[in-house]
Amino acid sequence: MSDPATNDGVDRSRLPDGWTVWSEGEHGRLVLAYRPDVFDGGEFPAACLPTLYLTHGKRTRRPGVNPADTADAEDWFVTLYLEPDVSLDETLRFPTRGAALERTVELARAFDDGEIAYRELYQVPREAYFDRLDELTGGE
């Protein structure tokens, strides 16, 4: 899956059109963002930007903590966030970055194709947001 032209291990041609490489960091960390043109703070709050994280070691929200320095540093994790406190409720843990990257691309494609049941992840429904997300992803 590596693309020598980008020298970052991400073959961007395999990503669905709606997903953008948002950032790449040390230790192989990768963040993908879904439709940043829509979730730009105008139509929807930027905090609602769906993101996929690929991290070496379990992702942490604590500043100054490098996930690669934690006890889980041997494993790679993939996490889909719909907003900061709403994420796909499953642990996606892999022994290699290659396997985690494959799953990241598969999850991006499933989301883009409307195959992720994101409504079930919310305790408080956001109907207008769901309707627009359904339009973008072809869901429900």
Side-chain angles (χ1 to χ4, degrees), residues 6-111:
T6 63
N7 197 31
D8 59 12
V10 180
D11 180 351
R12 294 165 195 226
S13 69
R14 294 195 56 211
L15 293 176
D17 290 338
W19 288 92
T20 300
V21 174
W22 193 255
S23 72
E24 299 172 75
E26 297 177 9
H27 308 287
R29 177 185 167 144
L30 174 68
V31 180
L32 303 179
Y34 184 73
R35 296 295 307 265
D37 59 317
V38 173
F39 298 93
D40 62 358
E43 186 175 355
F44 291 107
C48 290
L49 176 70
T51 53
L52 267 165
Y53 285 83
L54 169 63
T55 56
H56 192 202
K58 197 166 193 172
R59 186 169 181 268
T60 179
R61 294 179 192 263
R62 294 181 311 199
V65 175
N66 179 356
D69 293 337
T70 68
D72 295 324
E74 296 301 314
D75 292 327
W76 291 86
F77 291 82
V78 177
T79 310
L80 171 63
Y81 286 95
L82 289 152
E83 51 188 82
D85 293 322
V86 179
S87 62
L88 190 61
D89 191 24
E90 64 183 87
T91 300
L92 300 172
R93 185 176 189 159
F94 303 88
T96 66
R97 186 176 189 279
L101 190 55
E102 273 300 312
R103 182 64 178 127
T104 300
V105 171
E106 290 168 5
L107 196 54
R109 188 159 312 285
F111 185 87

